[in-house]
Amino acid sequence: MSEKPISILYIDDEEHNLHSFKASFRKQYDITIASSVVEAEEILENRDFCIILADQRMPIMTGVQFFEKIRTKYPKPIRILITGHTDIGAAIDAINKGEVFRFIDKPWDYNYVENAISHAYDIYKTREDLKERNLELQKANEELDKFVYSASHDLRAPLMSVLGIVNLALLEDDVKSQNEYLELIRQSVKKLDTFIINIIDYYKNARGIPVVTDISFKELVTEAQETIQYLPEYGNLKMTTDIDQEGVFQSDVMKLRIIFNNLINNAIKFQDKSKPHQFVHLTIKSTPKQAKIIVEDNGHGIKESDQDKIFRMFYRAGATNSGSGIGLYIVHEAIAKLGGAITVSSKVGEGSIFEVNIPSIHK
């Protein structure tokens, strides 16, 4: 897929300059022209640009004054000043007040303008990439802080429980009581195992290289069912599936596996044991363009105040005894990496519906 053309706003009160510039560079760049600074400000309210070129000598205000005015409100575009007059004072003002990247003399030379735009865009792209990397680094640092804080509880608490139970079991002679202690140990180890699996999934999703293949949703669902049927919460729960796959859907199978496993596991773990007919229903509608995945259950449900927070890292929607608080976060991240979206609809006491929409990735 080719990159979008470089977007340029060119401001000049002389109409023939505007049209000459657009005619010369329209095949290379996405050019918008404005014959006044007022018109330019109106355009900037509604559009983003990589580069702004402005003539120095214009009515109302000079090019330098215009750049100085917009510099704070629109800091991202690289600014280039066009002038037909050699004015050292204007040049100094342009650098100090308007933070102008380069000057172009009139009548402008085609190759010089092309070179100036190319260099300006390199700077624009570098700044945007750096900003994106800084945001990613900030996010990574925040997640690391949360992980260290949570690990102190989620990794150590089950181990401390096991040690405590072992000490009690050693003092107990009754076999029945010892079996009860073993069951408590099993539950603690299961919690620890779940947390470790989620951390591994998080790492795979964050660092793994995507591998796009043809997807069989029936195979993915079968795999997920094989891993959940031994969960202690499974019990008498009834799980049903409705899979309608038309044509070839392509995606990253590892990320889809993470999504399915976590959503289905969640639906089972938060079942309402007081209900006689517990169920999880999975619906998949897939075409060569996109897939819709719906996981519905009649479990405990999620409070409305928690529904916009459940995809945060280590957030447990009031359920402190179940889950690691990372599963839905990993699901959200995996879906985002696939270019999809997830929504939740839930009522306390009635159950939850998670809907996932993911576009097909074509190799």
Side-chain angles (χ1 to χ4, degrees):
M1 190 175 180
S2 59
E3 288 188 8
K4 290 182 179 179
I6 299 169
S7 55
I8 297 173
L9 174 61
Y10 177 33
I11 309 140
D12 197 321
D13 62 308
E14 297 181 30
E15 292 281 347
H16 69 89
N17 286 336
L18 293 175
H19 296 300
S20 173
F21 183 89
K22 190 164 186 175
S24 298
F25 297 103
R26 62 185 174 80
K27 291 183 179 179
Q28 295 164 260
Y29 311 119
D30 176 12
I31 298 171
T32 301
I33 55 175
S35 58
S36 70
V37 293
V38 175
E39 184 185 356
E41 287 187 83
E42 290 175 356
I43 293 170
L44 284 168
E45 287 284 347
N46 301 300
R47 266 203 73 182
D48 292 328
F49 293 92
C50 303
I51 300 165
I52 301 176
L53 295 96
D55 185 38
Q56 167 64 0
R57 297 294 179 93
M58 294 187 293
I60 304 177
M61 66 179 70
T62 65
V64 172
Q65 290 170 335
F66 174 71
F67 282 148
E68 185 181 5
K69 182 180 180 182
I70 68 166
R71 187 182 66 184
T72 303
K73 190 173 182 180
Y74 306 104
K76 293 200 299 183
I78 305 300
R79 294 171 285 278
I80 296 176
L81 188 70
I82 300 177
T83 176
H85 307 270
T86 304
D87 186 343
I88 190 65
I92 293 170
D93 280 347
I95 295 167
N96 293 336
K97 297 178 181 178
E99 292 186 357
V100 168
F101 164 69
R102 189 168 289 187
F103 301 90
I104 294 175
D105 292 325
K106 287 182 179 178
W108 43 263
D109 175 75
Y110 179 93
N111 291 327
Y112 184 84
V113 173
E114 188 178 41
N115 183 265
I117 290 172
S118 177
H119 287 171
Y121 182 69
D122 286 343
I123 292 174
Y124 173 86
K125 195 75 169 61
T126 301
R127 287 179 180 175
E128 291 301 295
D129 289 344
L130 183 60
K131 191 184 298 182
E132 188 176 335
R133 296 293 179 272
N134 285 337
L135 288 173
E136 289 174 358
L137 182 60
Q138 183 182 348
K139 181 182 175 184
N141 285 334
E142 288 172 359
E143 290 175 356
L144 181 60
D145 289 342
K146 290 178 182 177
F147 172 73
V148 171
Y149 176 80
S150 180
S152 65
H153 176 269
D154 289 298
L155 286 175
R156 294 194 74 247
L159 290 175
M160 293 302 100
S161 296
V162 168
L163 288 174
I165 295 165
V166 167
N167 289 333
L168 289 173
L170 289 171
L171 299 173
E172 187 66 61
D173 294 327
D174 182 48
V175 174
K176 184 179 178 182
S177 296
Q178 287 183 339
N179 286 339
E180 290 175 358
Y181 289 135
L182 286 172
E183 174 58 24
L184 292 173
I185 290 172
R186 189 193 68 81
Q187 291 176 14
S188 292
V189 171
K190 181 64 180 173
K191 283 184 180 179
L192 184 60
D193 181 56
T194 298
F195 185 78
I196 291 171
I197 288 171
N198 281 332
I199 291 300
I200 292 169
D201 280 349
Y202 168 72
Y203 178 81
K204 287 179 179 176
N205 182 56
R207 300 286 181 261
I209 298 171
V211 179
V212 178
T213 58
D214 294 352
I215 300 299
S216 168
F217 284 104
K218 285 185 179 179
E219 288 180 11
L220 276 174
V221 172
T222 301
E223 284 179 24
Q225 287 176 316
E226 287 173 353
T227 61
I228 62 168
Q229 59 183 322
Y230 300 111
L231 288 174
E233 299 91 348
Y234 195 80
N236 296 320
L237 177 142
K238 183 179 181 182
M239 181 168 177
T240 54
T241 60
D242 181 8
I243 303 172
D244 179 10
Q245 182 167 1
E246 298 176 6
V248 177
F249 180 86
Q250 293 184 319
S251 191
D252 184 338
V253 69
M254 187 197 74
K255 288 183 174 59
L256 286 177
R257 190 176 288 122
I258 289 171
I259 293 164
F260 274 100
N261 287 346
N262 278 284
L263 286 179
I264 296 171
N265 265 274
N266 239 42
I268 292 169
K269 284 179 181 176
F270 297 102
Q271 281 295 314
D272 187 347
K273 297 295 182 183
S274 67
K275 292 178 180 176
H277 304 293
Q278 302 158 41
F279 73 82
V280 173
H281 184 62
L282 176 64
T283 305
I284 300 170
K285 172 68 177 175
S286 168
T287 69
K289 289 186 177 180
Q290 63 179 9
K292 177 184 284 188
I293 302 160
I294 299 173
V295 181
E296 181 180 1
D297 67 69
N298 64 338
H300 290 290
I302 306 164
K303 289 192 296 185
E304 189 174 348
S305 59
D306 285 327
Q307 288 177 27
D308 62 338
K309 304 170 187 172
I310 57 174
F311 299 111
R312 296 179 187 174
M313 196 177 201
F314 296 121
Y315 187 84
R316 297 177 177 89
T320 54
N321 295 325
S322 295
S324 63
I326 193 174
L328 286 178
Y329 171 82
I330 296 170
V331 166
H332 187 270
E333 291 292 290
I335 291 169
K337 285 181 181 293
L338 294 175
I342 182 170
T343 58
V344 60
S345 171
S346 185
K347 287 187 178 180
V348 174
E350 294 185 19
S352 305
I353 300 173
F354 286 85
E355 181 176 319
V356 178
N357 288 281
I358 300 172
S360 182
I361 302 172
H362 298 289
K363 291 186 282 186

